[in-house]
Amino acid sequence: MDRGISRRALLGAAMSAPLLAACSGAFEDAPADSPGVRVSDGELTSRHWPGQRVSWVVARPTARQQAPVVVALHGRGGHAANAFTGLHLDRHVAATGLAVAAIDGGDTYWHARRSGVDTGAMVVDDFLPLLASMGLHTARIGLLGWSMGGYGALWLATGLGPTRVAGVAASSAALWLSPGDSAPGAFDDRDDFVRHDVFRRRSRLRGIPVRLDCGLHDPFLHADRAFAAGLPGTTTHFDPGGHTDAFWSAHGGAQMTWLARLLAT
């Protein structure tokens, strides 16, 4: 069975959420349990990603039964385990008292696509109920993402609003000022870009604390600065560094501490 999840808990999750299925061995490189931290991993199925068995990993503090959750969204070309193998967010779980929950999102940029896949909706409709069935506190969550996942964290927050989202921490968020600047495959076409342009929905983030971290040599620096400039109150950390795991990992502890303060209020 999954590390840290009993057979009874898995059966309970499956009964409470019929679209979900859990199993073991989702990631060979998922982190192991460490002092004060319990790790579990598995898979789920979702109508928002037909035909796909979607892997997830959760690291939770052993000292806090109903820990608040930070949902971590990976970058393009990544997967759920990157939150731990690349950013090492599990190192900050015991100290902050927060659970970190990560799930595969493919390369869909966490929004609805013409193909019918919508990994952002999957997070809300399928992953959060699974986390709740594990005893985690999901009524109000933190969002953390990097690159594609930084965009995804901002996008999900615009839909969930301040009653569900305590704060958003985005590193090197994949933002573009115009459709022609966007990376191939990030959007289906120009209309898709406009529909999912977080600049146009920036007003929906008012009331949600937002933190943007970006390296001074990161290709998204200009757009991230422009986004922050139009959202008063945004916390920014634009430091030396590039679009790398090393930069994101170096800021992960501070981001988790920042989110822990917000989730405590």
Side-chain angles (χ1 to χ4, degrees), residues 208-223:
I208 302 176
V210 173
R211 170 177 171 144
L212 295 180
D213 296 80
C214 195
L216 295 177
H217 303 291
D218 192 293
F220 292 113
L221 177 63
H222 178 64

Side-chain angles (χ1 to χ4, degrees), residues 2-265:
D2 297 337
R3 283 191 299 269
I5 303 183
S6 68
R7 185 178 186 85
R8 180 178 299 175
L10 289 180
L11 291 174
M15 291 175 64
S16 62
L19 293 177
L20 304 177
C23 67
S24 61
F27 284 111
E28 292 183 359
D29 56 351
D33 292 350
S34 59
V37 180
R38 188 174 71 198
V39 178
S40 54
D41 64 340
E43 294 178 339
L44 62 78
T45 59
S46 171
R47 63 187 175 87
H48 297 298
W49 200 350
Q52 184 76 16
R53 296 182 68 86
V54 186
S55 297
W56 53 264
V57 186
V58 177
R60 61 190 299 174
T62 57
R64 195 171 186 181
Q65 192 66 25
Q66 286 189 310
V69 174
V70 173
V71 176
L73 305 181
H74 65 75
R76 184 170 185 169
H79 51 71
N82 293 155
F84 310 103
T85 59
L87 274 65
H88 306 292
L89 295 179
D90 51 304
R91 297 176 181 174
H92 312 295
V93 165
T96 61
L98 301 180
V100 177
I103 190 167
D104 282 358
D107 290 335
T108 64
Y109 280 77
W110 304 103
H111 67 270
R113 307 308 298 265
R114 182 186 296 133
S115 64
V117 174
D118 186 347
T119 50
M122 175 189 71
V123 170
V124 176
D125 294 342
D126 301 317
F127 194 36
L128 290 181
L130 174 62
L131 298 175
S133 75
M134 294 166 59
L136 297 172
H137 184 70
T138 60
R140 201 155 179 258
I141 63 171
L143 290 167
L144 185 154
W146 56 98
S147 193
M148 178 185 82
Y151 161 83
L154 293 168
W155 172 254
L156 285 186
T158 66
L160 291 172
T163 60
R164 294 294 311 276
V165 179
V168 181
S171 291
S172 309
L175 305 178
W176 297 276
L177 300 176
S178 66
D181 295 334
S182 62
F187 302 91
D188 293 327
D189 50 33
R190 181 185 182 87
D191 289 341
D192 188 46
F193 178 96
V194 172
R195 281 194 301 273
H196 298 100
D197 183 3
V198 291
F199 280 87
R200 291 171 177 257
R201 293 165 63 101
R202 202 162 29 187
S203 62
R204 300 190 184 193
L205 293 171
R206 290 192 168 88
I208 302 176
V210 173
R211 170 177 171 144
L212 295 180
D213 296 80
C214 195
L216 295 177
H217 303 291
D218 192 293
F220 292 113
L221 177 63
H222 178 64
D224 282 18
R225 277 179 163 161
F227 191 85
L231 186 62
T234 300
T235 298
T236 58
H237 295 272
F238 299 138
D239 310 321
H243 201 76
T244 64
D245 279 355
F247 180 87
W248 304 326
S249 178
H251 291 74
Q255 290 173 332
M256 288 282 288
T257 300
W258 182 80
L259 287 169
R261 289 196 297 267
L262 295 171
L263 284 163
T265 59

